[in-house]
Amino acid sequence: MSISTKYNPKEIEQKWYDSWMQHGFFHSEPNPNKEPYTIVIPPPNVTGVLHMGHMLNNTIQDVLIRRARMQGKEACWVPGTDHASIATEAKVVAMLHERGISKKDLTREEFLTYAWEWKEKYGGIILEQLKKLGASCDWERTRFTMEDSMSAAVIEVFVDLYRKGLIYRGVRMVNWDPKGGTALSDEEVLPKETMAKMYHLQYEVVNGPTSEPMYITVATSRPETIMADVAVAVNPKDQRYTHLHGKSVRIPLLGKEIPVILDEYVSIEFGTGALKVTPAHDLNDYELGQKHRLPIIDILNDDGTLSEQAQLYVGQDRFAARRNIVKDLQEADLLVKIEEYQSVLQTSERTGAVIEPRLSMQWFCKMDAMAKPALEAVMNDDIRLHPPKFKNMYRSWMEGIRDWCISRQLWWGQRIPAYYLPNGSHVVATTAEEALELARRESGDEQLQLTDLRQDEDVLDTWFSSWLWPISVFDGFKDPDNKDILYYYPTNDLVTAPEILFFWVARMIMAGYEFRKEMPFKNVYLTGIVRDAQGRKMSKSLGNSPDPLDLIEQFGADGVRAGMLFSSPAGNDLLYDEKLVEQGRNFTNKIWNAFRLLKGWEIDDNLPCPNDTAISWFESRFNEAFVQIEDHFSKFRISDALLAVYKLVWDDFCSNYLEMIKPAYQQPIDRQTVDATVRLLENVLKVLHPFMPFITEEIWHDLKERKKKEFLIVSAWPKKNKFDKEIIQKMENVLHVVGSIRNIRNSKNIPNNKQLDLHIKVANQESYSAFMAILHKLANLNEIHFVEEPLEGAISFIVGSDEFFIPMEGNIDVAAERERLTKELEYTKGFLNSVDKKLSNERFVSGAPEAVIAGERKKKADAEARISAIEQSLAAL
């Protein structure tokens, strides 16, 4: 068999992925004889393409599912996509715009036809890309949050919660996205630090005590909302404004009179101590307005332009209106000053638009009761967060949870199953026919027809479907006792990002206890964010994110997978560096070269085995490393598990074991050593496979003949076995000796092919007796002598409590070495002299920082030690 000199992932990856698929290794069915292991994918948006965060997240999921499959569990990884209401609707609107079509000119049905057309064309791209990564999902189980059965589950849940009194409709202050044209939940709002401006405006006092105009200064960051002001509030204890009690003021430019109200909510120390009250456009002002029974004036349209209610700047965008009103206030001499300050801007997670607090009629879901069991489950570690540092954050959010605004002013999504009667009342039902029956019964009007009912125009928040994901992917609502939900639920592990801990993970936990009376998963592994070298989150918009498919093309999927995991501990951000994936590629090359070395040996069945010690050592070393690897997995330290495998493969197997056993140049090797090495390499491939599935499967099949379904992907995961600590420790000492000898060769310019003698002063010669052949081979030694006294004229070193001596006579050019050491001694003494001068300079010592002084003293000590060592070496010569 001819083996390629270089590992070529392009030739190998698609071959094995197709083969795994053809053999059905990814597919799972309930099996009463096997323990289930289930992961549900965090469904990526149908608008999405593979990015670095997906790469990290799905690599970790694949590592876990491949290991579970090899452990003999019935491993099921359910893939799917999320319909992503806001993001997808924006994509469809953009597509229509390119075709010269406006959404407002379409009926709902016409728009949805275009939306489904878009979804069918682009919606599966990211799942196809995941296959390039090696993701071993059960593709036969692929789900979509808006497929018929899953949408039916969403409607069923809405009706159920409504009838329990947990869903209600009302006017509340919501987060309004003017660009998306919809309300958002608190969790869909991203705070961004920015510099903002505070405008100090003059409101004229009506009927002041003097004939001269009197003003009160009010500070606001949003002057464009003054037309919605309904009062100015001051603290009743603020002595500056006692003369305004019972008075009114005029809104600048508009001239409308509004009252001065008294409320201790207003801080005397903050700003001017006078607060404009705008209930329609600020949550705190809304509550203040409710308390004082003030009117509400909404001056904004859905798209963020000023409405007729504003009277001024009608039709202008809110920010254009701000610029114009500031200009007009300056010209009217009503703007006192403008101050800059550090602020936090609330923005839409989906569109990036600045959020408007806005009163709106919306549908809400009560969260208090559902939050309690979900909080207890995490606090009691029934559900474990990895790392646990996120528990406090989770608790803080759950204890302060607010009702969830679940309606969205969109067409793409599950339409709210509420139907309005001609009299303005409404009924909630799973179908229009059921709604009609309910409406007739509640209204007493048997003449009502379907045409008399009007279904709510809004759709449900995307998260209202994805919070049901672990249940709905197994049709747990349509058929609560079906074999899949009973076998696979609760799932085992969830891998996701910390930024959706609250509005997805927490809600799934709530849904699990609400609808199945049990947890949806046992562990939540929270990945970090992939950032660039400057610490910025990687994104296509910033141009700082490589294309994952380009990386796979360049470095191979295995190299990219390993590179992503080399430094990505749970919950901590990964600072991406291309050197990581280069290291991953180099690792694949190292493994491939080790395989080629093994396959290139000529076997002689008549030769005895001289490598029992090496074989026994690596067997113990593997078993020791395997215990560490399993411990890392049990604690969800996936990166640490990979690094333990990496060290086992690179250092122990490739650099040490193969060097111990390889035959002399062009000499054959014995059959027993080869068979043992193949067996040991098989175990290495097994623990490496979850991380690097393609190269390991290729080597597995090339290593020896396999049966039809004898694939690595379904081979048995190793078991924990006892290991010989003594042989591991002794070999560690031997390798330390070899390393010290190699260092001496390098420092003394002694060629590697020149054999050296080694003298050992040791209390127990037996500790080295089994390793003599390995020492001879790895250190290229001529003779090894055990001595009772130090050897004069030799270079020595110590390992543990044992002393080692290498005679230098005949191994080095004494004259050349003396000359080299003499020059080095002169240089070091000169360096020491310069350091002494600095330290004897009182001005330097008294003026320099302590750290600098300490550094100079260390230089002095190091130079003195170096001089002593050189003088000893010269004496030995």
Side-chain angles (χ1 to χ4, degrees):
M1 178 187 70
S2 175
I3 301 173
S4 173
T5 56
K6 291 187 70 175
Y7 174 65
N8 189 343
K10 292 179 187 177
E11 295 176 358
I12 287 169
E13 290 173 357
Q14 195 62 51
K15 174 184 75 173
W16 288 117
Y17 200 88
D18 290 344
S19 187
W20 293 328
M21 290 280 285
Q22 288 162 10
H23 284 84
F25 291 138
F26 301 165
H27 182 58
S28 174
E29 289 291 339
N31 184 339
N33 298 317
K34 294 171 75 175
E35 176 189 345
Y37 177 84
T38 318
I39 292 178
V40 293
I41 200 171
N45 292 349
V46 286
T47 59
V49 292
L50 200 62
H51 59 60
M52 299 300 282
H54 291 135
M55 293 275 281
L56 175 61
N57 184 293
N58 287 282
T59 294
I60 292 168
Q61 290 177 82
D62 197 45
V63 168
L64 294 174
I65 208 78
R66 285 179 181 273
R67 172 173 173 263
R69 191 180 288 121
M70 295 173 74
Q71 286 176 316
K73 297 175 184 178
E74 189 58 44
C76 181
W77 182 10
V78 183
T81 50
D82 187 280
H83 63 276
S85 295
I86 298 174
T88 304
E89 185 146 326
K91 292 277 188 182
V92 176
V93 168
M95 177 191 76
L96 291 172
H97 180 74
E98 290 177 2
R99 299 182 187 182
I101 303 171
S102 173
K103 178 188 172 185
K104 69 177 186 296
D105 295 331
L106 299 175
T107 65
R108 187 187 198 105
E109 289 68 29
E110 288 170 337
F111 177 83
L112 289 176
T113 299
Y114 284 115
W116 280 106
E117 172 195 322
W118 187 94
K119 184 267 173 187
E120 292 306 316
K121 184 174 182 180
Y122 299 106
I125 289 175
I126 191 166
L127 297 184
E128 290 302 310
Q129 291 175 327
L130 284 175
K131 294 176 182 178
K132 295 289 185 185
L133 184 66
S136 56
C137 301
D138 186 346
W139 299 110
E140 295 176 45
R141 291 183 176 273
T142 303
R143 306 305 297 263
F144 173 53
T145 54
M146 258 180 69
E147 64 184 72
D148 289 345
S149 64
M150 299 193 83
S151 286
V154 171
I155 301 306
E156 180 186 326
V157 164
F158 183 97
V159 173
D160 176 66
L161 293 176
Y162 178 80
R163 290 175 181 169
K164 289 175 180 174
L166 295 176
I167 284 180
Y168 64 93
R169 186 169 182 257
V171 176
R172 298 286 186 276
M173 185 69 71
V174 298
N175 304 300
W176 186 260
D177 178 351
K179 188 173 181 181
T182 182
L184 302 177
S185 66
D186 291 344
E187 295 72 44
E188 291 170 297
V189 177
L190 298 181
K192 291 186 179 178
E193 290 192 2
T194 185
M195 291 303 296
K197 292 179 179 179
M198 185 66 72
Y199 303 88
H200 293 250
L201 315 182
Q202 287 195 319
Y203 287 59
E204 185 182 358
V205 179
V206 178
N207 298 324
T210 66
S211 57
E212 292 295 320
M214 179 180 290
Y215 297 91
I216 180 174
T217 301
V218 175
T220 178
S221 61
R222 305 178 68 206
E224 72 277 9
T225 64
I226 64 172
M227 290 81 77
D229 289 354
V230 294
V232 168
V234 296
N235 193 304
K237 297 177 182 177
D238 193 335
Q239 295 300 313
R240 293 173 295 176
Y241 299 126
T242 52
H243 64 289
L244 294 181
H245 294 187
K247 297 286 186 181
S248 298
V249 295
R250 288 192 180 93
I251 297 174
L253 299 181
L254 193 61
K256 178 181 175 181
E257 290 188 23
I258 55 175
V260 175
I261 64 171
L262 309 178
D263 200 290
E264 292 188 357
Y265 165 77
V266 183
S267 170
I268 295 174
E269 291 78 22
F270 183 76
T272 65
L275 177 74
K276 67 191 280 298
V277 183
T278 318
H281 300 289
D282 184 273
L283 178 59
N284 295 322
D285 288 10
Y286 172 72
E287 293 173 354
L288 201 57
Q290 292 291 98
K291 179 179 177 181
H292 290 271
R293 298 184 178 181
L294 297 171
I296 296 171
I297 303 170
D298 186 349
I299 63 163
L300 287 176
N301 294 315
D302 288 356
D303 62 358
T305 57
L306 271 62
S307 69
E308 295 288 342
Q309 289 261 65
Q311 301 182 52
L312 304 175
Y313 315 103
V314 174
Q316 293 185 16
D317 177 77
R318 54 192 166 148
F319 297 120
R322 179 181 299 178
R323 292 191 294 272
N324 290 331
I325 197 171
V326 168
K327 178 184 173 185
D328 292 343
L329 287 166
Q330 286 174 324
E331 290 178 355
D333 204 24
L334 295 173
L335 182 62
V336 179
K337 63 178 179 178
I338 302 173
E339 293 178 329
E340 285 205 345
Y341 70 104
Q342 188 75 31
S343 179
V344 176
L345 209 59
Q346 304 297 331
T347 63
S348 166
E349 187 227 0
R350 293 296 181 199
T351 68
V354 176
I355 292 300
E356 280 291 342
R358 191 179 186 201
L359 279 175
S360 182
M361 177 68 79
Q362 301 288 344
W363 289 90
F364 295 87
C365 184
K366 295 178 181 178
M367 305 303 287
D368 282 349
M370 284 190 282
K372 287 175 183 173
L375 175 59
E376 289 173 7
V378 172
M379 291 301 105
N380 296 340
D381 284 335
D382 295 329
I383 297 173
R384 292 181 178 271
L385 303 185
H386 304 275
K389 69 178 183 181
F390 286 105
K391 284 176 68 174
N392 287 336
M393 191 188 300
Y394 179 89
R395 179 177 59 194
S396 174
W397 188 80
M398 294 293 275
E399 288 177 346
I401 198 167
R402 297 168 65 176
D403 288 355
W404 176 11
C405 177
I406 56 175
S407 47
R408 297 291 180 270
Q409 289 63 57
L410 303 166
W411 283 348
W412 176 250
Q414 286 94 4
R415 194 170 178 182
I416 290 175
Y419 299 82
Y420 299 93
L421 283 65
N423 64 8
S425 64
H426 67 267
V427 293
V428 170
T430 54
T431 65
E433 291 72 22
E434 186 186 331
L436 177 60
E437 185 181 328
L438 195 58
R440 285 173 175 172
R441 188 164 64 244
E442 291 192 3
S443 67
D445 184 356
E446 290 297 323
Q447 304 305 311
L448 280 175
Q449 301 298 316
L450 275 177
T451 52
D452 296 322
L453 301 183
R454 177 180 60 84
Q455 187 176 354
D456 199 301
E457 291 292 323
D458 292 349
V459 299
L460 286 158
D461 178 13
T462 297
W463 298 104
F464 199 82
S465 58
S466 54
W467 79 318
L468 310 176
W469 185 249
I471 304 173
S472 59
V473 293
F474 297 115
D475 292 322
F477 293 98
K478 181 172 69 176
D479 184 1
D481 296 316
N482 76 77
K483 61 185 178 66
D484 281 355
I485 192 75
L486 293 179
Y487 183 73
Y488 292 114
Y489 189 95
T491 66
N492 294 76
D493 303 325
L494 179 75
V495 181
T496 190
E499 58 260 35
I500 56 174
L501 174 61
F502 311 125
F503 56 100
W504 188 48
V505 178
R507 286 175 180 160
M508 283 191 290
I509 297 172
M510 290 185 235
Y513 285 106
E514 179 67 23
F515 302 112
R516 295 292 301 183
K517 309 305 177 190
E518 60 182 330
M519 68 183 79
F521 30 71
K522 301 179 182 72
N523 295 286
V524 180
Y525 180 102
L526 296 158
T527 65
I529 296 170
V530 184
R531 299 186 182 276
D532 64 14
Q534 299 176 42
R536 300 175 302 172
K537 183 177 179 179
M538 282 194 158
S539 71
K540 295 286 175 67
S541 58
L542 281 177
N544 65 342
S545 178
D547 186 320
L549 295 181
D550 288 345
L551 289 177
I552 291 173
E553 176 76 13
Q554 184 179 357
F555 299 103
D558 288 328
V560 174
R561 288 166 64 110
M564 293 292 288
L565 289 178
F566 275 139
S567 70
S568 54
N572 290 327
D573 293 349
L574 164 65
L575 289 179
Y576 173 78
D577 187 330
E578 195 166 283
K579 290 177 182 175
L580 291 171
V581 289
E582 286 179 7
Q583 185 181 356
R585 180 191 58 193
N586 294 343
F587 191 28
T588 61
N589 291 336
K590 185 78 170 178
I591 299 160
W592 187 253
N593 289 335
F595 163 66
R596 286 183 59 240
L597 179 69
L598 173 59
K599 294 298 287 185
W601 291 335
E602 178 189 343
I603 301 172
D604 185 339
D605 290 321
N606 298 314
L607 288 176
C609 176
N611 296 307
D612 289 341
T613 300
I615 293 167
S616 297
W617 164 73
F618 187 77
E619 199 155 38
S620 278
R621 176 66 194 106
F622 175 88
N623 290 330
E624 179 189 45
F626 185 71
V627 170
Q628 296 167 348
I629 292 163
E630 288 289 83
D631 182 59
H632 290 318
F633 269 118
S634 72
K635 294 168 181 168
F636 285 84
R637 296 199 295 249
I638 311 300
S639 282
D640 290 340
L642 172 59
L643 291 171
V645 175
Y646 180 86
K647 184 180 184 304
L648 176 72
V649 175
W650 192 292
D651 294 343
D652 298 318
F653 186 77
C654 297
S655 299
N656 294 324
Y657 174 74
L658 291 181
E659 289 298 310
M660 293 175 195
I661 66 163
K662 77 176 181 182
Y665 180 63
Q666 292 189 333
Q667 295 297 310
I669 190 170
D670 65 285
R671 168 70 63 183
Q672 188 178 337
T673 296
V674 171
D675 289 347
T677 303
V678 168
R679 175 175 54 81
L680 294 172
L681 180 54
E682 283 180 331
N683 274 339
V684 168
L685 292 174
K686 287 179 180 181
V687 295
L688 186 56
H689 177 78
F691 304 100
M692 306 177 80
F694 294 108
I695 189 172
T696 52
E697 191 74 79
E698 174 74 8
I699 293 175
W700 175 264
H701 286 271
D702 286 347
L703 203 52
K704 68 180 187 183
E705 287 292 322
R706 303 286 178 187
K707 294 177 184 176
K708 187 175 180 182
K709 278 206 167 185
E710 195 182 352
F711 279 65
L712 178 57
I713 189 176
V714 288
S715 65
W717 189 248
K719 303 289 185 186
K720 288 183 182 178
N721 289 309
K722 293 180 180 180
F723 53 90
D724 186 340
K725 292 182 180 179
E726 186 177 359
I727 195 172
I728 292 172
Q729 182 57 57
K730 286 180 177 179
M731 185 64 82
E732 190 175 313
N733 288 343
V734 167
L735 293 174
H736 195 160
V737 171
V738 171
S740 297
I741 294 171
R742 288 173 177 173
N743 287 337
I744 289 169
R745 285 183 183 275
N746 290 334
S747 66
K748 303 302 180 187
N749 297 314
I750 302 171
N752 290 327
N753 60 5
K754 182 176 178 58
Q755 289 191 324
L756 300 174
D757 288 342
L758 179 66
H759 297 252
I760 309 174
K761 181 176 180 290
V762 59
N764 181 13
Q765 295 184 18
E766 291 298 317
S767 60
Y768 289 94
S769 58
F771 301 90
M772 300 297 279
I774 292 172
L775 260 177
H776 271 284
K777 189 172 192 177
L778 296 187
N780 192 17
L781 300 176
N782 177 35
E783 290 185 355
I784 298 176
H785 305 279
F786 289 95
V787 296
E788 295 183 0
E789 298 295 331
L791 191 68
E792 294 293 331
I795 291 180
S796 65
F797 59 90
I798 296 174
V799 174
S801 59
D802 303 331
E803 291 185 70
F804 299 82
F805 307 91
I806 298 177
M808 286 292 98
E809 186 176 353
N811 290 320
I812 60 171
D813 184 330
V814 176
E817 180 68 6
R818 183 180 290 114
E819 182 180 353
R820 185 186 70 80
L821 288 172
T822 301
K823 286 181 179 178
E824 188 175 347
L825 181 62
E826 289 174 0
Y827 170 81
T828 310
K829 284 182 175 179
F831 176 77
L832 177 61
N833 187 46
S834 67
V835 173
D836 281 336
K837 283 182 178 178
K838 270 189 183 180
L839 291 174
S840 62
N841 186 325
E842 289 186 13
R843 289 180 61 188
F844 172 76
V845 173
S846 60
E850 185 55 40
V852 174
I853 302 296
E856 293 300 318
R857 286 176 177 150
K858 186 178 184 308
K859 288 178 187 177
K860 175 181 171 68
D862 290 345
E864 288 173 340
R866 183 64 188 146
I867 288 169
S868 176
I870 295 170
E871 287 175 339
Q872 288 180 27
S873 295
L874 282 169
L877 290 173

